[in-house]
Structures are given as structure tokens and as C-alpha cells.
Amino acid sequence: MRSWHKSRTKPQPYELSDAHRRVFIGLMIGMLAASISQTIVGPAMPRIVPELGGMDHYSWLATSAMLVSAVTVPIVGKLSDMYGRRRFYLGGLVIFMLGSVMSGSAQSFGFLIFARSVQGLGVGALMPMSQTIIGDIIPPRFRGKYQGYMGAVFGVTSVAGPLAGGWITDHFGWRWLFYVTLLLGIAALAVIAKFLHVEHTPRKAKIDYLGMTTMTIALLCLLLATSLGGTSYPWGSAQIITLYVVGALMLLVLLFVERTAIEPGSRTEPTLWPTPSGMREAAPGCDHDGVRLGVADRGDRLNRDALD
């Protein structure tokens, strides 16, 4: 009688189909464009500020994009469950590329901040959709491997982004920082539009507008207070305290709203709070957001020292 370890069959490696392999490559390119846009701009700040002005608001180049993407992520994730992944990923790519064109052609610092907000709107769609689409096309047993590849992109861009940003700024000018991400977005759009065809069963559900509104206000107030505190305003100033108070109150309202907001036919789960399986799916995205926030904060401090 053979022992158990001898009779056990060795699991076969999972191979992506040709179409799914191309989709995965397109997702990697889109993730690269979205993540590098957060780190590539920092070294160009000493060039951008003298040309466009805006010394008092230069930190908003990173803050505006992160604020918008932080609010967009949960909303896009919810809507994609209802209406499908493809349209939201392609829409996120188009918005991201529009923001890149606007940023590269900006003639004032205020417009550049607005353009970066448009970019952040696209990033907020690309980040969750990349992870979610992997979950749609790859079995759970092999999903971690490919999500690991996605996570590696953040590690590479956190190091290569500032280096590439400095080199591109010195040789081609700071506007090409945004045109490079535009080229990456075009490549991702061409691949995804041709090969991404994820099956989706539409379902009728009530959109939680009140929850989205209260969540947006809460996040904006808390993130604004944390970003502006100690820089634009003292921590004990009325502006910062008011933002924290409003953000905390909106969080309490959000808790009440989500305890009573139930989708038709969805048992008893609230519309925004994730189930345990949903929390496991969201964990990689949370790690990635933490990396992006940490890198952006570190770059902002370095830029402040350089400009001072």
C-alpha cells in the first residue's frame, strides 16, 4: 500500500488562455499608468512651481488626486457589481487619459490641480477594477499569484517613478510626465477594449445615494483636515477642527444610514459594508492605497524641503 504522500497527485500549474493573458497584460499596463502617475510628478515640482506659480498650493498636486480617488473607489466598485466591469474600466481609462492631456497642457497652477483631480477620478476607477477583473477571470486558487504581480507594480513605481520623473523632466520637460502616462493609457485601452469580455449578469438593486453622499463628505472632510493641518493651517485652528467635527458627524450619520439601507432581495447586508469575503478581496487594494499615500506623503515632504 502506497503512502499518502506518494499517492497524492501533484497540482498542475494554471495557465491563462490567450485572451485572458492579453487582458492581464492590459491590466498591468493600466495599473502601471495609474500608480506611476502618483510618484512621477514629485521631482518636477521645482520646475512646475516657478513656471506656473502656486507656491502656496503646490502640495495639492498630490492631495487633489488622492482625495478624488479615495472617494471614487468604493462607489465605482459598487456600481461595477451592478452594471459590469468593462464599461467602468474603459471609462476610468478614458477619464485618466483626459486628465493626463489636461495636466500636460495646463497654463496655470489652478488648472493643473483641477486636471490632477480628473486624473484621480480615473485612478479611482482603475485601481479597484484591476483587482476585481482578476477575480473574475482567474480561479480563486491561483488568484493570489496574479494579484502579487499587480502588487509588485506599486513597489516598482514607488522607486522607478521619481527616478523616471527626474530624468524625463531634465531631458524633455515636465509636461512629458503626463504625456508618458497618456501613452501607457492608450496602450492599455487598446488591449482591454479588444480582449476584455467578462460575463456579467445584470441585477436590479437600489443605489444608496444617501450613503454615497455622506461617505463622500466624511472622507473629504477628514482627508482635507489631515492634509491641511500643520501646513496651510495650524492643527488647533478653527478650520481644521471644523473639518474634523463635520467629518466625524458624517461618519456617525453614515453608520446610521448603512444600518438601515438594505438592497431589495439581498438578505440583510447593508449596501456599503463588505462581507468577510468582500473584506478579503478588498485587502490588497487597501495595502496599495497605503503604499500610495505613504509614497506621496514622503515625496511631498521632500519637495517642501527642496522648494524651501
Side-chain angles (χ1 to χ4, degrees):
M1 181 177 179
R2 293 183 299 175
S3 61
W4 176 81
H5 73 276
K6 290 184 178 179
S7 61
R8 184 179 58 180
T9 58
K10 184 177 181 181
Q12 297 297 322
Y14 177 76
E15 294 293 338
L16 290 173
S17 64
D18 289 340
H20 285 174
R21 185 179 295 108
R22 291 183 174 91
V23 169
F24 180 73
I25 293 173
L27 293 176
M28 291 282 285
I29 298 174
M31 185 71 78
L32 176 64
S35 59
I36 203 171
S37 68
Q38 306 297 313
T39 60
I40 199 173
V41 182
M45 290 302 298
R47 301 281 184 89
I48 297 176
V49 171
E51 182 174 337
L52 299 182
M55 178 64 183
D56 295 336
H57 307 288
Y58 76 92
S59 62
W60 278 94
L61 284 185
T63 303
S64 60
M66 287 189 292
L67 282 174
V68 176
S69 63
V71 173
T72 305
V73 166
I75 296 176
V76 170
K78 173 65 179 180
L79 294 178
S80 69
D81 287 340
M82 298 171 57
Y83 303 112
R85 321 291 189 200
R86 175 185 168 88
R87 65 182 67 182
F88 284 96
Y89 192 87
L90 293 177
L93 276 173
V94 172
I95 293 173
F96 175 80
M97 291 188 295
L98 175 62
S100 298
V101 173
M102 294 169 61
S103 299
S105 59
Q107 300 300 318
S108 67
F109 203 82
F111 185 81
L112 181 58
I113 292 175
F114 171 74
R116 289 284 287 170
S117 300
V118 176
Q119 259 194 335
L121 185 63
V123 170
L126 295 179
M127 292 295 185
M129 287 298 96
S130 297
Q131 298 288 339
T132 307
I133 292 171
I134 287 179
D136 290 337
I137 65 177
I138 297 176
R141 182 176 182 180
F142 307 97
R143 200 172 294 163
K145 171 184 176 182
Y146 294 93
Q147 287 182 335
Y149 291 146
M150 286 286 185
V153 172
F154 290 90
V156 172
T157 55
S158 64
V159 177
L163 296 176
W167 185 83
I168 293 173
T169 302
D170 289 339
H171 290 81
F172 302 101
W174 64 266
R175 297 183 185 275
W176 274 96
L177 300 177
F178 303 104
Y179 296 145
V180 166
T181 58
L182 172 64
L183 296 177
L184 291 174
I186 292 174
L189 181 66
V191 175
I192 295 297
K194 183 175 182 179
F195 296 104
L196 179 60
H197 301 284
V198 180
E199 294 184 3
H200 175 72
T201 302
R203 64 184 183 90
K204 294 182 179 180
K206 183 179 179 181
I207 299 177
D208 185 12
Y209 293 106
L210 183 57
M212 290 181 180
T213 302
T214 53
M215 181 197 66
T216 300
I217 297 174
L219 285 177
L220 286 177
C221 289
L222 295 176
L223 290 174
L224 279 173
T226 305
S227 176
L228 297 178
T231 55
S232 299
Y233 301 98
W235 286 108
S237 63
Q239 292 87 343
I240 300 301
I241 294 176
T242 301
L243 286 173
Y244 274 126
V245 170
V246 174
L249 290 176
M250 286 297 102
L251 281 180
L252 293 177
V253 174
L254 178 63
L255 287 173
F256 174 78
V257 169
E258 293 309 309
R259 286 179 64 87
T260 58
I262 306 298
E263 289 184 359
S266 65
R267 296 182 297 174
T268 58
E269 290 89 349
T271 56
L272 287 180
W273 301 141
T275 60
S277 60
M279 293 177 69
R280 289 193 294 269
E281 293 293 333
C286 295
D287 293 341
H288 298 159
D289 287 341
V291 171
R292 289 194 296 122
L293 289 170
V295 170
D297 179 70
R298 178 60 177 165
D300 179 59
R301 294 177 185 274
L302 292 175
N303 293 330
R304 187 183 298 117
D305 294 340
L307 290 172
D308 291 343

